[in-house]
């Protein structure tokens, strides 16, 4: 190993010993807990994950508890965290581990990657942190740090750039404490070597960081085109009958599948929010709306799109509803509404109804 790499290991681990944040998943070596934390941390900030992680581990403390838990319970625990396929894959993998692997999570990257929802990054994190094996990780934070540390730019294809970073991450790993080293790299990216303007004056690697020494920090990592997220306008209706509110479950195989929602849908071109809701209720419940009252507008940003949700109190004709296009539907008392998992924007309607 080169002296440069040895210096990086030594300085980074010493810094991590002194400054690492006290996070709940850092107080355990339990592979299951580390797996859950790593899946939750994908695309999600640490401070958002902490309460979700604590609630999950308290409710489902072992792989067999997860394997045998109903999907609705899992979706409720995940409610608001987004990318629900992560929760469904945790459950699918737990079932496989429970039935075919004696309830023990495999330790190697190769075997971990055979499980649903576990890619190279998550496999590397579990293998190094829980089992102490020399397996690299490469998430957004690590990519940024390595790109600056070695002045790696995107000369060529994206996959050539990624391969180069994986190779660097692997070559840098120490035999002792590979899990701590991986966490130190991620920690540095999250707290010091941040996007935009890194705080180089506080960085333990500034005397050996190539981008810093060449005064080229701003040139790394190579910029990605910022994707402008799609905006959508949606109308939703609160229909109450005999003190119960109507909710329906989204089709299991679609986006946010298995979650519950209030009826409604996307506004079409030229339509007002009211017209949209009348049309959607007619299509979904096969009944006419007789009166609408706007109660609020909710703006919510999902990872894939931004939604503006206009919510109405809605009176329908007295005839029988005949819902279609959903997994199932229910009339639910307000006191029971919070038991069902909803997408984040709908959670705000639940709050309005149950806390007003
Ligand atoms: S010196 Fe600056 S650019 Fe280099 S690794 Fe540290 S924080 Fe990042």
């Amino acid at each position: 190993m080169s002296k440069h790499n040895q210096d990086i290991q030594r300085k980074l681990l010493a810094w991590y010993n002194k400054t690492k944040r006290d996070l709940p998943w850092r107080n355990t070596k339990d592979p299951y807990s580390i797996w859950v934390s790593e899946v939750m941390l994908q695309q999600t900030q640490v401070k958002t994950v902490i309460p979700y992680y604590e609630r999950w581990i308290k409710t489902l403390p072992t792989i067999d508890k997860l394997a045998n838990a109903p999907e609705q319970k899992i979706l409720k625990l995940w409610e608001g965290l987004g990318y629900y396929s992560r929760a469904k894959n945790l459950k699918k993998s737990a079932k496989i581990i429970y039935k075919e692997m004696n309830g023990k999570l495999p330790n190697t990257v190769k075997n971990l990657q055979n499980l649903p929802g576990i890619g190279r990054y998550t496999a590397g994190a579990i293998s190094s942190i829980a089992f102490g094996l020399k397996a690299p990780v490469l998430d957004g934070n690590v990519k940024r740090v390595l790109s600056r540390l070695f002045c790696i730019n995107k000369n060529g294809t994206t996959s050539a750039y990624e391969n180069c970073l994986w190779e660097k991450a692997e070559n840098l790993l120490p035999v002792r404490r590979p899990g701590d080293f991986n966490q130190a790299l991620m920690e540095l990216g999250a707290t010091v070597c941040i996007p935009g303007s890194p705080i180089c004056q506080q960085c333990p690697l500034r005397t050996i960081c190539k981008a810093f020494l060449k005064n080229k920090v701003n040139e790394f990592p190579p910029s990605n085109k910022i994707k402008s997220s799609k905006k959508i306008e949606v109308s939703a209706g609160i229909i109450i009958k005999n003190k119960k509110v109507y909710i329906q479950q989204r089709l299991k195989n679609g986006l946010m599948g298995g979650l519950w929602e209030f009826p409604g849908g996307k506004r079409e071109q030229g339509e007002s929010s009211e017209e949209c809701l009348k049309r959607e209720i007619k299509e979904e419940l096969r009944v006419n709306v007789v009166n609408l009252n706007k109660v609020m507008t909710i703006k919510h940003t999902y990872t894939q799109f931004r939604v503006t949700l206009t919510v109405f109190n809605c009176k329908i004709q007295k005839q029988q509803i005949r819902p279609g296009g959903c997994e199932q539907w229910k009339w639910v008392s307000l006191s029971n509404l919070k038991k069902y998992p909803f997408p984040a924007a709908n959670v705000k309607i639940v709050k309005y109804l149950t806390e007003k």
Side-chain angles (χ1 to χ4, degrees):
M1 172 161 309
S2 71
K3 168 128 184 0
H4 185 240
N5 283 4
Q6 283 174 2
D7 279 351
I8 292 172
Q9 290 175 352
R10 191 172 41 78
K11 286 175 190 281
L12 196 56
L13 281 168
W15 171 82
Y16 184 67
N17 288 345
K18 262 200 272 168
T19 57
K20 68 176 174 186
R21 290 171 291 177
D22 182 21
L23 303 173
W25 47 88
R26 287 190 177 156
N27 300 322
T28 178
K29 284 280 171 217
D30 170 42
Y32 166 68
S33 303
I34 288 164
W35 172 33
V36 171
S37 72
E38 285 301 333
V39 174
M40 285 185 171
L41 286 164
Q42 290 165 15
Q43 326 273 357
T44 314
Q45 289 190 339
V46 165
K47 70 174 191 305
T48 309
V49 166
I50 292 173
Y52 280 91
Y53 170 83
E54 287 178 332
R55 204 169 53 226
W56 182 286
I57 294 296
K58 201 169 163 205
T59 316
L60 304 169
T62 57
I63 288 179
D64 45 324
K65 283 263 184 329
L66 171 58
N68 294 301
E71 187 175 281
Q72 286 292 293
K73 186 173 184 173
I74 286 160
L75 291 176
K76 186 68 194 169
L77 283 168
W78 205 270
E79 183 184 78
L81 207 50
Y83 284 117
Y84 290 85
S85 58
R86 293 184 293 173
K88 292 179 190 171
N89 281 332
L90 270 170
K91 158 98 180 154
K92 270 192 218 159
S93 294
K95 264 179 146 173
I96 296 170
I97 298 165
Y98 178 69
K99 285 191 180 153
E100 298 169 20
M101 302 174 173
N102 283 332
K104 294 221 174 333
L105 197 62
N107 61 4
T108 63
V109 169
K110 187 167 168 271
N111 290 343
L112 282 162
Q113 277 190 272
N114 286 333
L115 291 166
I118 300 191
R120 188 172 174 187
Y121 163 78
T122 310
I126 298 169
S127 192
S128 62
I129 299 169
F131 298 108
L133 298 179
K134 213 171 152 241
V137 296
L138 191 67
D139 67 352
N141 285 327
V142 178
K143 280 183 195 170
R144 186 169 56 255
V145 173
L146 294 181
S147 165
R148 288 170 174 165
L149 206 47
F150 294 97
C151 284
I152 301 170
N153 222 324
K154 201 177 140 198
N155 295 321
T157 61
T158 306
S159 64
Y161 172 67
E162 298 255 327
N163 288 342
C164 177
L165 292 175
W166 272 111
E167 205 183 303
K168 283 283 178 214
E170 186 151 22
N171 290 341
L172 266 181
L173 268 181
V175 180
R176 287 186 59 235
R177 303 178 64 196
D180 279 351
F181 183 80
N182 280 338
Q183 291 187 88
L185 267 181
M186 293 190 263
E187 185 93 343
L188 190 77
T191 59
V192 177
C193 194
I194 51 180
S197 303
I199 316 163
C200 299
Q201 288 315 320
Q202 290 176 19
C203 179
L205 305 179
R206 67 185 178 282
T207 54
I208 45 177
C209 168
K210 292 191 175 166
F212 182 73
L213 294 173
K214 291 181 184 174
N215 205 11
K216 288 186 171 179
V217 167
N218 293 340
E219 291 175 32
F220 299 92
S223 69
N224 278 332
K225 275 187 205 145
I226 298 159
K227 282 186 240 154
S228 60
S229 63
K230 214 168 108 188
K231 285 187 211 162
I232 57 169
E233 307 259 348
V234 174
S235 295
I238 300 168
I239 306 172
I240 296 184
K241 192 172 97 179
N242 301 329
K243 297 191 177 159
K244 291 191 170 177
V245 61
Y246 172 85
I247 57 171
Q248 57 194 26
Q249 190 182 28
R250 294 174 70 90
L251 291 173
K252 290 214 165 135
N253 292 329
L255 182 70
M256 301 183 204
L259 297 184
W260 292 77
E261 64 179 8
F262 296 87
K266 252 192 265 175
R267 218 163 99 181
E268 288 180 357
Q269 220 174 7
E271 237 179 13
S272 68
S273 300
E274 288 83 353
E275 287 163 345
C276 163
L277 188 60
K278 285 179 184 168
R279 174 184 51 74
E280 289 283 349
I281 299 275
K282 178 91 180 155
E283 284 169 12
E284 288 180 359
L285 274 65
R286 293 182 232 178
V287 71
N288 288 319
V289 171
V290 290
N291 195 14
L292 283 179
N293 257 317
K294 185 173 160 186
V295 288
M296 64 173 135
T297 304
I298 295 167
K299 286 186 190 283
H300 188 83
T301 304
Y302 292 98
T303 323
Q304 308 94 317
F305 52 84
R306 280 182 287 161
V307 66
T308 302
L309 180 63
T310 311
V311 185
F312 296 88
N313 271 328
C314 186
K315 276 207 171 19
I316 52 172
Q317 275 184 331
K318 282 207 169 113
Q319 74 211 50
Q320 203 64 30
I321 57 168
R322 287 179 296 133
C326 56
E327 206 64 53
Q328 52 172 321
W329 55 276
K330 284 185 180 178
W331 292 97
V332 179
S333 66
L334 294 182
S335 55
N336 278 332
L337 203 53
K338 279 193 172 171
K339 292 182 183 160
Y340 294 83
F342 287 88
N346 275 237
V347 169
K348 295 177 185 170
I349 308 178
V350 173
K351 252 186 150 180
Y352 162 78
L353 286 170
T354 53
E355 292 172 14
K356 66 179 175 176

